[in-house]
């Protein structure tokens, strides 16, 4: 693993020979800088892994997780309970469908936006547009939902009032999915474009000049210079997104769901909240969370493997 | 079992002390508590012991004990800090004076109290005395060894005289298990068992020359008249008209309508085995009630967007205050609550002097009466002691103190001239002290009188008189009328004593979600699709665990009772 990583990330390692101590002495400032994130990951990501075993135990208050007795069915009671529950599979389906839709519409949006911004010549307009597009990212989903209700509610919403219609934006499952995805894209495309703008800024301007000399038009320059220039960034982000195909944020679906659309709106994170956390069934919560993580890991590794097969670098 | 629990608690104590606290060798509260419990029946009742002595009939500790007590934080506008105000100071001083117990209050947000207590329990930081509304939740904690068994501790009637005289055997033994005798919570007394009443706009009825409805048919006729005369009643706001307002929580907000469809001769057994859901989702008759609502929805009599607004949202209240709503069904005192911010008072400001909601009783049952299934004196708030409690005796003494009649009276009525004015008839007229240091953060300080929910002033007549006066800025006659309707044709809940239903563990939230989904979908579907929709979501509810509960309840009932009736 370590060796592979070195090969993938740089050539320094293969050229220089020397002990670990020598590196520490030479680059101690960099290692010091690294220390803080490492401590963060150990304390907040690795130490808590001890509690994964709750998924296989009968939870008891007041004793350590090591002392808790094993759950029924050799510890698999909670997995069986979850897998037997129709609501669980419904949540899995909804999570995957909503995430795929988010990926289909939400993933290209920031790329397109970044390219459009990049083509703008008038830099003040560019900056203003950029800032306005970022803003929704800083609103909480609860606020976005209340604003959306004022705009889109079937009866009292502004849009329906003005048009004199009763489009069920939030109360009909199909309409709800469209609203949910569209608002999600709107909230995120500005923020998501930052990383692509940075990648575009890193493209050597000589390439554009050479293309112009060769008579390439604007669209051709985008197609043959800009897009290939940010291809590796796109692939890395795509892999990370695919790795999260079964994961989901909590606030967005929770804020947007209502009883009329629960059939399509209940996702794993909200199911876990209701069945596990609110009912103090921490075992069920942990079991579902573990299941989610394992599936996500497979997706992550799978897409990484695929991208390397296709000649891209992947993320590890 | 008890010995095991005692040992477990002792072991827990040692572990937790060793883990986080400097060990104080003179202080072994858990041992003392268990000793006390086992010795209590044999010891001479009024004899002093090593820990303390009786002074004026009240047990007084030699060394000061310290406990923490939960109090709801309702985040009241113009209120005071929930855990630090004039009334909590008064309690602290009193308990220290009478029992030598030092009390600290811990504020817990009212609307997320269960989540909060879950977290506090898991973290080992729960207050020494907690309270909540759901016994299945407490049983869930107990199954995780999170609650102290009170069965023996509470038996010392000499030490806890006020607890026994106020809660009585009925409440104290309400939750005692028939299988192992365990008792994990003490049922507070519900001083007022009123539940749900329907309100209708008197000024609209007057404008359309209609009488207050007394049957479903008349009620429907009123709603239709409201809808058809929206332009007359609301002018340019006609399109905002909602003849009958129901929220996402259909089971509560059409509660008396649902109850009117239940067979008046329903057996105790049938009522019990379907009784897990407190909105009567699986009871026989509920489907027909929702069919009627579905018809009204499709006639344009309900609020189109009702399902889009979740708990805590004030959109619907604002519509009522603005005068767009014709009728509603809710808590019996809903339109009178919160003084200047109450719905009825706001109506007079926003619409006019004559605008008001009046209580009515329009949903007749099969017998022509207006049956309402109400709670008994128990089944409301329950106090329990979490596993981290090191002072169970002191905690029970606190509950005893807070159950003392004179203390309840003072907390509920407050200071004369500040919180109330005494009438010539002996009644108390409550005045709002919000904005001052004497503000009551909950109506009649019910969050502080942990074992008493609702007004109780000791004397039944004075309580009844005072109830009508306990809603500032509202007409006492209307409050009295709503109170009377809430008490008409009531059927109090009965206490079914069967084994613990294991399949109920942890299912509350999942089934509540499934039930609300089923209710809401069935209200808004097309009339032709009603049966299909209802059956589909009912099947889903049963598959998610509802059926297991019904089956287990049936078996548990049949193991204890021979017939279909409790008698």
């Amino acid at each position: 693993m370590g060796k592979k990583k070195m090969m993938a990330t740089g050539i320094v390692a293969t050229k220089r020979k020397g002990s670990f101590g020598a590196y520490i002495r030479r680059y101690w400032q960099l290692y010091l800088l690294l220390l803080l994130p490492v401590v963060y990951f150990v304390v907040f990501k690795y130490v808590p892994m001890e509690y994964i075993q709750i998924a296989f135990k009968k939870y008891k208050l007041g004793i350590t997780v090591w002392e808790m007795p094993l759950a029924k069915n050799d510890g698999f009671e909670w997995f069986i309970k979850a897998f037997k529950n129709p609501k669980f599979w419904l949540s899995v389906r909804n999570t995957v469908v909503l995430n795929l839709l988010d990926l289909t519409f939400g993933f290209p949006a920031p790329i397109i936006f970044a390219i459009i911004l990049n083509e703008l010549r008038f830099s003040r307009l560019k900056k203003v547009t950029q800032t306005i597009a970022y803003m929704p990212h800083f609103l909480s989903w609860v606020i976005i939902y209340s604003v959306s209700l004022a705009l889109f509610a079937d009866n009292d919403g502004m849009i329906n009032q003005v048009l004199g219609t009763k489009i069920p934006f939030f109360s009909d499952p199909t309409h709800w999915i469209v609203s949910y995805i569209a608002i999600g894209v709107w909230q995120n495309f500005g923020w998501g474009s930052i990383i692509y703008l940075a990648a575009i800024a890193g493209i050597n301007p000589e390439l554009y000049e050479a293309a112009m000399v060769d008579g390439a038009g604007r669209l051709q320059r985008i197609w043959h210079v800009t897009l290939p220039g940010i291809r590796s960034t796109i692939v890395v982000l795509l892999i990370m997104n695919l790795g999260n195909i079964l994961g989901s944020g909590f606030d967005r679906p929770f804020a947007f769901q209502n009883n009329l659309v629960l059939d399509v709106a209940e996702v794993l994170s909200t199911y876990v909240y209701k069945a596990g956390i609110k009912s103090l069934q921490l075992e069920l919560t942990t079991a579902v969370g573990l299941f989610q993580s394992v599936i996500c890991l497979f997706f992550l590794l799978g897409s990484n493997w695929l991208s390397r097969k296709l000649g891209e670098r992947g993320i590890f | 079992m008890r010995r095991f629990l005692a040992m477990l608690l002792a072991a827990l104590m040692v572990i937790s002390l060793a883990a986080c606290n400097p060990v104080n060798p003179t202080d072994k509260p858990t041992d003392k508590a268990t000793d006390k419990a086992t010795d209590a029946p044999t010891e001479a009742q009024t004899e002093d012991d090593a820990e303390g002595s009786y002074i004026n009939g009240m047990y007084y500790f030699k060394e000061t004990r310290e406990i923490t007590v939960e109090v709801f934080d309702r985040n009241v506008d113009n209120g005071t800090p929930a855990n630090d105000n004039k009334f909590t100071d008064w309690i602290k001083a009193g308990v220290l004076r009478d029992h030598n117990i030092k009390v600290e209050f811990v504020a817990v947000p009212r609307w997320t109290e269960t989540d909060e207590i879950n977290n506090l329990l898991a973290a080992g930081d729960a207050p020494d005395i907690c309270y909540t509304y759901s016994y299945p939740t407490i049983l869930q904690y107990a199954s995780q060894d999170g609650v102290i068994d009170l069965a023996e501790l509470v038996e010392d009637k000499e030490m806890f005289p006020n607890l026994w005289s106020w809660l009585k055997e009925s409440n104290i033994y309400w939750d005692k298990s028939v299988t192992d005798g365990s008792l994990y919570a003490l049922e507070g007394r519900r001083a007022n068992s009123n539940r749900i009443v329907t309100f209708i706009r008197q000024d609209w009825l007057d404008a359309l020359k209609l009488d207050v409805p007394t049957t479903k048919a008349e009620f429907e006729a009123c709603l239709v008249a409201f809808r058809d005369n929206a332009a007359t009643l609301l002018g340019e706001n006609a399109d905002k008209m909602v003849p009958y307002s129901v929220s996402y929580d259909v089971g509560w907000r059409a509660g008396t309508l649902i109850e009117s469809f239940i067979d008046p001769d329903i057996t105790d057994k049938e009522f019990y085995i379907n009784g897990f859901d407190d909105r009567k989702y699986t009871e026989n008759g509920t489907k027909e009630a929702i069919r009627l609502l579905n018809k009204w929805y499709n006639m344009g009599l309900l609020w189109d967007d009702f399902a889009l607004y979740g708990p805590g949202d004030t959109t619907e209240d604002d519509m009522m205050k603005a005068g767009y709503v014709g009728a509603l069904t809710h808590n019996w005192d809903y339109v009178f609550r919160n003084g200047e911010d109450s719905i009825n008072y706001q109506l007079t400001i926003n619409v006019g002097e004559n605008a008001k909601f009046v209580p009515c009783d329009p949903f007749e049952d099969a017998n022509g009466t207006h049956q309402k299934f109400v709670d008994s004196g128990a089944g409301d708030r329950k106090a329990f002691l979490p596993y981290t409690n090191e002072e169970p005796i002191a905690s029970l003494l606190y509950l005893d103190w807070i159950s003392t009649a004179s203390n309840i009276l003072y907390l509920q009525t407050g200071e004369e001239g500040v919180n109330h004015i005494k009438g010539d008839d002996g009644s108390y007229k409550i005045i709002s002290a919000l904005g001052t240091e004497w503000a009551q953060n909950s109506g009649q300080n019910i969050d502080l009188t942990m074992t008493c929910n609702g007004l109780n002033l000791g004397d039944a007549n004075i309580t009844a008189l005072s109830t009508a006066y306990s809603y500032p800025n509202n007409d006492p006659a209307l409050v009295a009328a709503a109170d009377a309707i809430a008490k008409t044709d009531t059927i109090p809940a009965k206490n079914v004593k069967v084994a613990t239903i294991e399949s109920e563990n942890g299912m509350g939230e999942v089934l509540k979600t499934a039930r609300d989904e089923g209710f809401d979908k069935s209200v808004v579907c097309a009339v032709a699709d009603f049966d299909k929709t209802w059956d589909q979501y009912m099947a889903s509810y049963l598959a998610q665990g509802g059926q297991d509960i019904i089956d287990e309840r049936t078996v548990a009932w049949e193991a204890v009772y021979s017939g279909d009736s409790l008698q």
Side-chain angles (χ1 to χ4, degrees):
Chain A
M1 176 72 199
K3 212 173 183 182
K4 261 188 190 170
K5 195 168 183 178
M6 283 180 198
M7 282 164 64
T9 50
I11 44 168
V12 184
T14 49
K15 275 189 179 171
R16 286 184 182 276
K17 290 200 174 95
S19 67
F20 184 60
Y23 284 117
I24 293 273
R25 271 194 297 281
R26 195 177 170 92
Y27 300 112
W28 64 273
Q29 293 101 328
L30 293 181
Y31 282 104
L32 201 64
L33 220 57
L34 192 66
L35 194 65
L36 208 60
V38 167
V39 168
Y40 167 82
F41 276 101
V42 169
V43 172
F44 291 105
K45 302 286 173 186
Y46 284 89
V47 173
M49 280 194 195
E50 154 188 17
Y51 295 96
I52 286 179
Q53 47 180 316
I54 289 179
F56 304 95
K57 297 234 168 157
K58 166 93 187 80
Y59 184 75
K60 298 270 179 192
L61 287 157
I63 52 177
T64 70
V65 62
W66 300 97
E67 295 165 313
M68 292 173 193
L70 205 63
K72 284 177 233 163
N73 289 320
D74 301 324
F76 286 93
E77 178 188 1
W78 302 101
F79 291 93
I80 295 169
K81 195 171 174 182
F83 294 159
K84 270 190 176 168
N85 193 321
K87 202 79 186 180
F88 170 77
W89 291 111
L90 193 76
S91 311
V92 170
R93 185 200 73 182
N94 293 340
T95 309
V96 172
V97 169
L98 289 177
N99 279 341
L100 280 179
L101 286 171
D102 256 340
L103 202 61
T104 314
F105 297 99
F107 189 73
I111 302 175
I112 297 167
F113 182 66
I115 291 172
I116 293 174
L117 272 189
N118 185 50
E119 296 299 320
L120 283 180
R121 286 284 164 264
F122 184 34
S123 72
R124 187 169 292 171
L125 176 68
K126 186 172 162 178
K127 286 215 169 86
V128 169
T129 316
Q130 214 173 334
T131 312
I132 292 175
Y134 290 169
M135 279 180 179
H137 178 81
F138 298 101
L139 291 176
S140 89
W141 282 109
V142 178
I143 308 250
I144 294 181
Y145 181 62
S146 9
V147 174
S148 319
L149 263 191
L151 286 174
F152 298 114
D154 302 8
N155 197 39
D156 313 330
M158 207 178 82
I159 294 190
N160 276 325
Q161 296 257 342
V162 169
L163 298 179
T165 51
K166 283 205 172 187
I167 304 168
F169 288 109
F170 288 127
S171 52
D172 170 71
T174 319
H175 284 81
W176 183 87
I177 293 175
V178 175
S179 314
Y180 177 84
I181 298 296
I183 292 171
V185 171
W186 168 79
Q187 193 254 9
N188 199 45
F189 79 93
W191 184 255
S193 67
I194 293 180
I195 197 161
Y196 295 111
L197 281 170
I200 290 172
I203 297 172
N204 189 346
E206 286 175 14
L207 292 175
Y208 286 103
E209 287 158 17
M212 270 156 85
V213 169
D214 287 346
R218 179 166 282 199
L219 286 177
Q220 281 169 313
R221 288 203 298 273
I222 291 174
W223 187 253
H224 294 289
V225 182
T226 312
L227 276 176
I230 60 173
R231 189 172 58 189
S232 53
T233 312
I234 296 179
V235 170
V236 167
L237 286 179
L238 189 63
I239 292 173
M240 281 162 62
N241 269 310
L242 278 172
N244 206 24
I245 198 77
L246 208 61
S248 55
F250 173 76
D251 342 15
R252 182 171 161 215
F254 189 71
F256 275 75
Q257 62 185 211
N258 64 60
N259 288 327
L260 300 182
V261 295
L262 219 49
D263 286 336
V264 297
E266 189 83 285
V267 294
L268 277 172
S269 58
T270 56
Y271 172 74
V272 159
Y273 171 68
K274 288 169 194 168
I277 295 175
K278 281 201 104 170
S279 314
L280 201 66
Q281 295 198 74
L282 300 183
E283 308 97 324
L284 188 70
T285 312
T286 318
V288 174
L290 185 60
F291 166 80
Q292 230 173 332
S293 303
V294 170
I295 302 281
C296 286
L297 184 68
F298 275 112
F299 267 94
L300 187 72
L301 294 176
S303 49
N304 190 59
W305 173 84
L306 195 70
S307 86
R308 290 174 71 101
K309 265 270 186 257
L310 296 175
E312 291 294 334
R313 269 163 85 184
I315 51 177
F316 40 70
Chain B
M1 174 65 198
R2 248 169 248 129
R3 185 176 295 263
F4 171 73
L5 193 69
M7 278 171 61
L8 188 78
L9 284 169
L12 273 177
M13 259 300 300
V14 173
I15 292 166
S16 61
L17 279 178
C20 38
N21 294 326
V23 180
N24 182 352
T26 57
D27 196 29
K28 287 191 212 152
T30 310
D31 294 351
K32 180 174 54 220
T34 29
D35 287 349
K36 181 76 206 158
T38 27
D39 293 345
T42 50
E43 234 173 28
Q45 300 283 332
T46 48
E47 223 172 71
D48 303 343
D49 56 30
E51 309 296 336
S53 54
Y54 285 92
I55 299 174
N56 298 331
M58 288 183 283
Y59 189 86
Y60 191 86
F61 281 113
K62 281 182 185 150
E63 281 177 39
T64 308
R65 301 303 163 89
E66 293 183 9
I67 59 168
T68 51
V69 177
E70 175 185 355
V71 61
F72 285 151
D73 183 355
R74 294 175 192 257
N75 197 14
V76 185
D77 287 347
N78 297 320
T80 53
N83 56 345
D84 183 18
N85 54 56
K86 286 282 180 191
F87 291 105
T88 55
D89 287 348
W90 186 81
I91 296 174
K92 285 181 191 175
V95 181
L96 190 63
R97 178 193 63 221
D98 294 344
H99 296 297
N100 200 14
I101 299 168
K102 221 174 141 207
V103 178
E104 277 302 323
F105 286 95
V106 178
V108 168
R110 168 68 186 93
W111 312 114
T112 48
E113 45 116 2
T114 313
D115 302 18
E116 199 79 17
I117 291 293
N118 285 350
N119 289 341
L120 289 171
L121 279 172
D125 289 335
D128 291 328
I129 307 178
C130 299
Y131 60 126
T132 188
Y133 289 87
S134 150
Y135 197 61
T137 303
I138 296 174
L139 282 178
Q140 169 82 349
Y141 300 150
S143 78
Q144 298 173 343
D145 300 337
V147 190
I148 294 180
D149 184 356
L150 300 173
E152 291 196 12
L153 295 175
V154 78
E155 286 298 335
D156 193 338
K157 293 182 186 166
E158 194 64 30
M159 195 178 251
F160 312 120
N162 300 299
L163 200 59
W164 282 91
S165 65
W166 169 241
L167 296 182
K168 303 194 173 64
E169 292 200 350
S170 60
N171 277 37
I172 287 184
Y173 292 142
W174 187 272
D175 292 321
K176 199 173 167 90
S177 162
V178 289
T179 36
D180 62 5
S182 59
L183 176 64
Y184 291 112
L186 297 180
E187 290 278 342
R189 180 159 288 278
R190 192 195 308 268
N192 190 337
S193 58
N194 292 356
R195 262 166 54 97
I196 305 175
V197 163
T198 302
F199 295 92
I200 195 161
R201 282 282 291 277
Q202 179 72 59
D203 50 324
W204 286 10
L205 292 177
D206 292 344
L208 303 174
K209 300 200 166 43
L210 292 164
D211 290 328
V212 174
T214 57
T215 63
K216 286 167 202 154
E218 288 173 21
F219 187 69
E220 184 181 312
C222 290
L223 300 185
V224 170
F226 292 165
R227 181 196 66 190
D228 294 343
N229 294 287
T232 324
L233 298 170
L234 285 177
E236 61 178 6
N237 287 322
D239 60 335
K240 296 207 168 75
M241 151 82 65
V242 174
Y244 182 46
S245 190
V246 170
S247 78
Y248 80 98
D249 187 2
V250 173
W252 182 261
R253 298 297 305 284
T256 44
L257 177 68
I258 290 172
E259 288 169 7
S260 76
F261 277 94
I262 292 177
D263 179 3
D265 298 322
I266 187 169
T267 63
D268 292 334
K269 181 183 176 186
E270 187 184 347
F271 194 74
Y272 167 73
I273 64 175
N274 288 295
F276 176 69
D277 182 50
D278 62 356
R279 302 293 195 253
K280 306 187 175 62
Y281 188 45
T282 61
E283 296 285 1
N284 196 356
T286 304
K287 182 179 179 181
E288 293 315 304
I290 304 302
R291 190 193 298 280
L292 183 60
L293 273 183
N294 171 259
K295 179 184 134 192
W296 289 351
Y297 181 87
N298 284 295
M299 287 165 70
L301 301 178
L302 304 191
W303 178 30
D304 279 354
D305 297 342
F306 77 92
L308 301 185
Y309 297 86
D313 193 285
T314 57
T315 307
E316 193 197 4
D317 284 1
D318 294 341
M319 287 167 27
M320 294 172 189
K321 289 172 187 170
Y324 303 147
V325 173
L328 67 126
T329 303
H330 213 313
N331 298 52
W332 77 275
D333 58 351
Y334 195 72
V335 301
F336 312 124
R337 288 180 178 183
N338 300 334
E340 287 187 358
D341 199 34
S342 65
I343 290 169
N344 253 5
Y345 183 70
Q346 285 290 317
L347 266 181
T348 62
I349 291 174
N350 296 332
V351 182
E353 265 316 300
N354 294 326
K356 64 182 170 192
F357 281 108
V358 295
C360 61
D361 206 3
F363 306 129
E364 81 286 6
D365 57 54
N367 290 342
T369 61
H370 296 79
Q371 66 179 1
K372 295 175 193 71
F373 293 85
V374 295
D375 302 294
S376 68
D380 188 50
R381 270 203 309 230
K382 305 118 180 45
F384 65 97
L385 312 185
Y387 68 102
T388 42
N389 185 320
E390 297 167 7
E391 297 282 0
I393 297 288
S395 305
L396 287 176
L397 280 169
Y398 174 85
L399 289 175
D400 182 77
W401 193 91
I402 208 77
S403 303
T404 311
S406 55
N407 294 338
I408 294 176
L409 177 69
Y410 176 78
L411 286 169
Q412 294 206 326
T413 57
E415 289 283 310
E416 183 159 9
V418 181
N419 299 103
H420 71 266
I421 300 167
K422 237 175 154 179
D424 296 335
D425 50 6
S427 68
Y428 291 81
K429 185 176 181 195
I430 303 293
I431 45 181
S432 171
L434 286 178
T436 75
E437 58 182 346
W438 286 100
Q440 292 183 319
N441 290 317
S442 48
Q444 300 116 29
N445 269 332
I446 51 165
D447 291 346
L448 290 173
T449 59
M450 193 185 284
T451 52
C452 170
N453 193 359
L455 194 64
N456 182 290
L457 305 176
D459 180 297
N461 282 329
I462 290 181
T463 305
L465 280 170
S466 305
T467 299
Y469 284 117
S470 60
Y471 294 89
N473 300 86
N474 275 280
D475 179 1
L478 280 186
V479 180
D483 187 48
I485 289 177
K487 289 183 165 62
T488 305
D489 302 334
T490 53
I491 305 168
K494 294 173 184 168
N495 190 6
V496 177
K497 298 290 258 178
V498 298
T500 308
I501 310 296
E502 300 288 342
S503 52
E504 291 174 5
N505 257 358
M507 289 312 292
E509 200 62 33
V510 173
L511 291 181
K512 191 176 121 194
T513 308
R515 168 254 286 167
D516 281 341
E517 190 185 4
F519 271 140
D520 291 8
K521 288 292 256 190
S522 305
V523 169
V524 304
C525 65
V527 172
D529 293 337
F530 177 79
D531 281 302
K532 197 183 77 189
T533 309
W534 176 272
D535 294 346
Q536 177 195 338
Y537 285 95
M538 179 58 80
S540 162
Y541 174 91
L542 294 175
Q544 284 178 57
Q547 189 64 50
D548 293 344
I549 292 176
I550 291 174
D551 293 345
E552 197 180 334
R553 278 189 170 225
T554 311
V555 171
W557 172 283
E558 284 163 1
V560 177
Y561 304 101
S562 51
D564 287 349
S565 162
L566 273 174
Q567 302 312 324

